[in-house]
């Protein structure tokens, strides 16, 4: 990929090398993208580029290059760097698994002392890696931002061009489909994109709407691997929700912001932050979250606050940070926080301050987030929620979901009767809607069943 990262990020890393930062930790799990980035950086600044892999050794980048003899072990590789005294960029893949050994720590300290006097750097990758205390102050951490929509677009063009040189490929996706596909790729590594698109195209010899389904399936697996978020398939549409007209109008007015984010940005519109739905149980709050994602063509992920809390110190806070980072990497996306009062309604409980810290992290993120993550929080008891959660700036709007009135009950009954393949002619729906006064939507569905 020619543009593996924004130029300003390339310049940031180049500046660290020029300023004699000899040990750099690049926070990412996308090793392929990191390698392309560093290769591009070394080429731009005319610096030799080496890659080290465990059991293979240190190898200079370029055609027909072989690993340097005796550098397969990490200690041997660092020893080679110490003896060669070459100004270069050294990319060590899967290196952090070995840094807890005393001999590695000792050699890294020696390498830092030597490299700090000239333009050379050892760069390792990982995500939130825990370094030994002796090394933490020696490494400079840099967070590699995820690929942008333009990055994915350029990468797809290159990938399709290579595939069309090998086989005929019918490309039938229109502009709207391409936008939806690019949004679907967000959060996936370049290696994952290559595997998904190549498999889909080779199997069907088409680049069409079916390709998008392969992408969404891969995205579901990526979300599930996070261990905190749960992917929800979205089939319901606004037409499957009776009533809630004010909410539907509010959402429909903002739908185009996500379908054409660039145009919205040029017009001066920022992405909506989210909504809070509260009210009677069984009246469609969860259904609405699913319908919004389906209507806007966005993935829906559910955060169950109860999954955040763990028994070890710091683990609960780390779970929330991981959930937020996963959601932002996947943006644009709908993040559904179900029954939010169960986790954040008693934020100052007797739990050693864990709830307070988690709640503070959530508030700060909701206030300052720039990523296109639309939050839908549902609550059955809004009186348990702290007032600072509900002020403007955290949610765009708060909607109350009440028990359905007579004409809405009639619509709900119609929906469920039709969904089960039965005719409405033999039923007195007006009479049924009168008899079911006080029923919730869930109770009406069970009455039909």
């Amino acid at each position: 990929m020619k543009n593996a990262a924004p130029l300003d990020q390339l310049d940031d890393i180049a500046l660290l090398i020029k300023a004699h930062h000899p040990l750099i930790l690049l926070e990412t799990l996308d090793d392929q993208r990191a390698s392309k980035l560093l290769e591009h950086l070394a080429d731009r600044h005319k610096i030799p580029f080496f890659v080290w892999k465990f059991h293979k050794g240190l190898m200079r980048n370029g055609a027909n290059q072989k690993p340097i003899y005796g550098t397969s072990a990490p200690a041997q590789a660092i020893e080679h760097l110490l003896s060669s005294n070459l100004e270069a960029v050294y990319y060590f893949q899967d290196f952090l698994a070995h840094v807890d050994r005393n001999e590695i720590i000792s050699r890294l300290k020696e390498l830092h002392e030597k490299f700090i006097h000239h333009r050379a750097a050892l760069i390792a990758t990982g995500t939130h890696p825990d370094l030994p205390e002796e090394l933490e102050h020696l490494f400079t951490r840099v967070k590699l931002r995820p690929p942008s929509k333009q990055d994915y677009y350029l990468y797809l063009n290159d990938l399709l061009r290579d595939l069309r040189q090998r086989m005929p490929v019918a490309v039938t996706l229109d502009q709207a489909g391409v936008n939806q596909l690019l949004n679907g790729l967000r959060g996936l590594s370049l290696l994952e994109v290559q595997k998904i698109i190549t498999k889909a195209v080779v199997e069907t010899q088409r680049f069409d709407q079916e390709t998008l389904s392969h992408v969404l399936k891969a995205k579901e697996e990526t979300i599930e691997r996070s261990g905190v978020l749960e992917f929800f398939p979205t089939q319901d549409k606004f037409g499957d929700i009776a009533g809630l007209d004010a909410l539907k109008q509010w959402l429909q007015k903002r739908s185009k912001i996500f379908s054409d984010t660039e145009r919205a940005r040029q017009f001066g519109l920022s992405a909506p932050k989210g909504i809070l739905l509260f009210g009677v149980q069984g009246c469609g709050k969860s259904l609405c979250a699913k319908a919004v994602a389906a209507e806007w063509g966005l993935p829906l992920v559910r955060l169950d606050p109860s999954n955040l809390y763990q028994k070890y110190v710091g683990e609960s806070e780390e779970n929330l940070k991981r959930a937020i980072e996963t959601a932002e990497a996947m943006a644009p996306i709908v993040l559904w926080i179900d029954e939010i009062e169960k986790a954040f309604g008693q934020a100052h409980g007797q739990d050693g301050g864990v709830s307070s810290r988690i709640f503070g992290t959530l508030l700060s993120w909701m206030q300052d987030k720039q990523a296109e993550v639309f939050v839908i929080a549902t609550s059955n008891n809004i009186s348990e929620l702290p007032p600072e959660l509900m002020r403007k700036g955290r949610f765009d709007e708060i909607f109350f979901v009440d028990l359905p009135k007579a004409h809405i009950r009639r619509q709900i009954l119609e929906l469920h009767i039709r969904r089960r393949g039965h005719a409405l002619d033999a039923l007195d729906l007006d009479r049924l809607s009168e008899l079911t006064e006080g029923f919730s939507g869930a109770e009406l569905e069970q009455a039909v069943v």
Side-chain angles (χ1 to χ4, degrees):
M1 185 174 178
K2 298 180 179 65
N3 298 309
L7 291 179
D8 60 340
Q9 188 141 35
L10 283 172
D11 292 338
D12 289 344
I13 300 172
L15 179 61
L16 290 176
I17 297 173
K18 188 176 180 181
H20 298 176
H21 286 244
L23 301 177
I24 298 173
L25 186 56
L26 199 56
E27 292 190 3
T28 179
L29 285 178
D30 195 342
D31 289 331
Q32 182 190 35
R33 183 164 178 253
S35 180
K36 290 293 184 183
L37 161 69
L38 297 174
E39 180 184 351
H40 186 49
L41 180 148
D43 183 62
R44 283 182 63 194
H45 295 275
K46 310 302 180 187
I47 307 173
F49 178 52
F50 291 81
V51 177
W52 177 86
K53 296 181 180 180
F54 189 56
H55 289 318
K56 286 189 175 181
L58 196 64
M59 183 171 62
R60 183 162 183 169
N61 188 62
N64 302 320
Q65 295 291 332
K66 294 182 179 180
I68 299 171
Y69 178 76
T71 61
S72 59
Q76 295 173 327
I78 297 175
E79 195 65 45
H80 176 81
L81 267 61
L82 287 167
S83 61
S84 66
N85 201 34
L86 177 66
E87 291 189 346
V89 173
Y90 300 95
Y91 173 41
F92 277 54
Q93 290 187 12
D94 303 322
F95 179 66
L96 296 178
H98 311 282
V99 297
D100 57 344
R101 290 158 47 186
N102 289 333
E103 60 175 335
I104 303 295
I105 294 174
S106 176
R107 282 180 167 83
L108 283 173
K109 288 180 178 179
E110 189 178 349
L111 186 69
H112 182 276
E113 186 177 345
K114 184 170 186 177
F115 274 13
I116 203 168
H117 298 295
H118 62 216
R119 194 180 60 161
L122 181 152
I123 300 178
T125 54
T127 177
H128 296 311
D130 292 325
L131 289 168
E133 189 176 348
E134 306 95 313
L135 296 177
E136 186 64 55
H137 69 288
L138 299 181
F139 273 86
T140 302
R141 291 177 179 259
V142 177
K143 188 171 183 178
L144 181 60
R145 292 191 294 276
S148 67
K149 198 171 180 179
Q150 179 68 7
D151 293 332
Y152 284 119
Y153 180 76
L154 293 172
Y155 187 73
L156 272 181
N157 275 342
D158 291 345
L159 194 58
L160 280 175
R161 185 177 61 248
D162 293 342
L163 287 169
R164 296 181 89 170
Q165 289 174 353
R166 294 157 44 192
M167 66 183 74
V169 179
V171 179
T172 59
L173 267 187
D174 57 14
Q175 187 58 48
V178 170
N179 278 333
Q180 196 173 1
L181 177 65
L182 292 174
N183 287 336
L185 293 176
R186 298 289 290 270
L188 300 177
S189 70
L190 298 185
L191 182 60
E192 288 172 323
V193 172
Q194 180 184 3
K195 288 180 177 179
I196 297 163
I197 300 299
T198 301
K199 179 179 181 297
V201 171
V202 169
E203 183 179 345
T204 64
Q205 294 193 349
R206 296 194 308 274
F207 185 73
D208 54 11
Q209 197 67 27
E210 187 179 343
T211 310
L212 180 60
S213 65
H214 287 269
V215 171
L216 293 179
K217 178 63 177 175
K219 198 162 195 172
E220 175 182 350
E221 294 171 355
T222 301
I223 290 169
E224 298 287 356
R225 282 199 301 268
S226 72
V228 185
L229 299 175
E230 180 182 1
F231 183 88
F232 263 76
T234 53
Q235 299 174 343
D236 299 299
K237 300 287 186 180
F238 279 154
D240 297 320
I241 303 176
L244 303 178
D245 293 334
L247 173 59
K248 289 179 182 178
Q249 292 173 11
W250 190 93
L251 292 166
Q252 287 171 342
K253 285 180 180 178
R254 289 154 180 81
S255 62
K256 290 185 178 180
I257 295 178
F258 287 105
S259 62
D260 195 348
T261 54
E262 188 58 36
R263 186 181 174 192
R265 193 177 295 111
Q266 291 173 358
F267 193 71
L269 289 174
S270 57
K273 291 177 177 289
I275 56 175
L276 172 64
L277 304 177
F278 78 97
V280 183
Q281 296 184 33
C283 287
K285 298 187 294 295
S286 300
L287 177 62
C288 187
K290 299 174 186 177
V292 170
E295 195 72 20
W296 287 359
L298 299 178
L300 173 68
V301 294
R302 176 176 174 262
L303 171 63
D304 185 348
S306 63
N307 290 338
L308 297 175
Y309 292 91
Q310 302 293 331
K311 62 181 179 179
Y312 297 110
V313 175
E315 195 172 358
S316 301
E317 296 91 324
E318 186 62 33
N319 281 343
L320 179 59
K321 290 179 182 177
R322 187 165 71 251
I324 288 173
E325 289 184 356
T326 302
E328 288 188 334
M330 298 288 177
I333 200 168
V334 175
L335 177 64
W336 171 25
I337 306 178
D338 194 20
E339 297 185 336
I340 191 171
E341 74 276 9
K342 289 187 176 179
F344 305 116
Q346 303 295 332
H348 306 290
Q350 304 299 316
D351 58 5
V354 174
S355 294
S356 296
R357 291 193 295 273
I358 289 180
F359 183 62
T361 299
L362 179 71
L363 287 182
S364 298
W365 174 70
M366 290 178 66
Q367 181 67 38
D368 301 328
K369 70 182 172 74
Q370 301 296 319
E372 294 162 350
V373 179
F374 186 78
V375 178
I376 298 182
T378 60
S379 172
N380 294 323
N381 189 355
I382 197 172
S383 64
E384 292 186 7
L385 292 175
E388 58 266 37
L389 178 64
M390 295 180 285
R391 75 167 178 81
K392 288 290 186 180
R394 305 268 159 69
F395 293 107
D396 295 311
E397 204 62 73
I398 299 174
F399 291 92
F400 175 65
V401 183
D402 201 356
L403 289 170
K405 296 181 180 179
H407 69 284
I408 303 299
R409 293 198 297 274
R410 192 184 198 282
Q411 294 176 24
I412 294 172
L413 290 167
E414 285 182 6
L415 280 170
H416 289 299
I417 292 168
R418 282 202 179 100
R419 188 174 289 175
R420 286 160 178 79
H422 292 280
L424 303 174
D425 300 341
L427 299 173
D428 187 350
L429 290 176
D430 291 330
R431 178 64 177 153
L432 286 174
S433 64
E434 290 175 6
L435 291 171
T436 52
E437 183 177 358
F439 278 46
S440 68
E443 289 168 337
L444 288 169
E445 179 181 4
Q446 290 306 308
V448 171
V449 172

